[in-house]
Amino acid sequence: MNNRLKVLRAERDWSQADLAEQLGVSRQTVNALETGRYDPSLPLAFKIARVFGQPIEAIFTED
Amino acid sequence: MNNPSSPRRPHGPGAYLLVVGASLVLGGLAGAASAFLGDQPGPVGTAVTAALVAAAMAAGFTVCVWWWRGIDEAAREAHKWAWWWGGSSGMSVGSVLLLTLMLRAEEQSLPAKLGSTPADIFVSGMMCILLFQLAGYTLAWAGWWLKHR
């Protein structure tokens, strides 16, 4: 699955640690998400969508 | 689902070390208490020892549950993957190695440290497989995180 996490985070000038803190996950997890090597669970995907104020499908797309 | 307005910081390595330390302390306490209180002949001694070990394990599991609930989902996934693939593979390798050595027992001279009685050797075999399991688990856990960087 592809995602726009890195772009969205950069637009807000947040560090990985900042985003991790808002999501309640570790910085390593944010890194794994951004590189597309780890797909989040549905609850975490909803949380990400809420943090960025966008629908899930605007952040995550199928390969 | 958790309340998004107040995300909790996930447990880090410190919490993991706390779990390991707590497990060691609980095991040590159960062992010491068993040596003093369970040192009675017959079923009473066995029952006291079993009760003490069960209490220590229950306390240890409680700490583990606290830790498990506090780590994030990727960390859980890494541990689950590592336990299944690394732990199972390590156990298989250790088991096959031990069985192979057993089949050729007459040609081997077991190190004295493994024990001399069948019970001692049995426990040594279990510990040996556990070590293989933990080694496989650790390698797989590190591999998971390297792959998901």
Side-chain angles (χ1 to χ4, degrees), chain A:
Chain A
M1 201 184 291
N2 297 316
N3 69 71
R4 298 176 54 236
L5 277 181
K6 196 169 184 176
V7 173
L8 292 169
R9 179 174 64 77
E11 284 173 359
R12 287 156 181 78
D13 203 20
W14 291 344
S15 67
Q16 286 188 339
D18 293 335
L19 179 57
E21 194 172 334
Q22 294 192 64
L23 295 173
V25 300
S26 67
R27 192 197 59 75
Q28 288 81 3
T29 297
V30 168
N31 188 58
L33 288 165
E34 282 188 356
T35 54
R37 293 172 191 270
Y38 175 71
D39 293 333
S41 66
L42 206 47
L44 181 56
F46 271 109
K47 205 181 278 185
I48 291 167
R50 206 176 291 121
V51 164
F52 287 117
Q54 299 198 11
I56 289 178
E57 58 269 28
I59 301 172
F60 297 96
T61 52
E62 281 184 298
D63 285 328

Side-chain angles (χ1 to χ4, degrees), chain B:
Chain B
M1 214 180 296
N2 293 332
N3 182 1
S5 61
S6 58
R8 187 177 39 77
R9 186 186 287 262
H11 291 328
Y16 185 76
L17 291 176
L18 185 69
V19 171
V20 173
S23 301
L24 286 172
V25 169
L26 287 165
L29 286 174
S34 298
F36 286 111
L37 303 173
D39 191 21
Q40 303 167 46
V44 175
T46 305
V48 169
T49 302
L52 287 167
V53 171
M57 287 187 72
F61 274 124
T62 303
V63 178
C64 285
V65 168
W66 164 79
W67 167 76
W68 184 257
R69 287 181 175 167
I71 60 176
D72 70 26
E73 63 176 60
R76 283 184 195 161
E77 182 63 24
H79 284 294
K80 284 188 277 188
W81 192 89
W83 191 244
W84 171 246
W85 291 108
S88 303
S89 302
M91 184 176 65
S92 303
V93 170
S95 305
V96 169
L97 187 70
L98 274 185
L99 287 171
T100 306
L101 288 173
M102 259 180 58
L103 290 172
R104 315 283 295 190
E106 68 282 358
E107 297 168 18
Q108 315 289 334
S109 56
L110 288 173
K113 282 181 183 173
L114 289 179
S116 51
T117 66
D120 287 345
I121 295 172
F122 182 77
V123 171
S124 296
M126 281 179 60
M127 293 305 291
C128 181
I129 290 177
L130 182 66
L131 284 178
F132 271 94
Q133 213 171 4
L134 286 174
Y137 173 81
T138 306
L139 285 173
W141 179 84
W144 193 95
W145 277 111
L146 283 173
K147 193 181 161 198
H148 291 80
R149 291 173 70 191

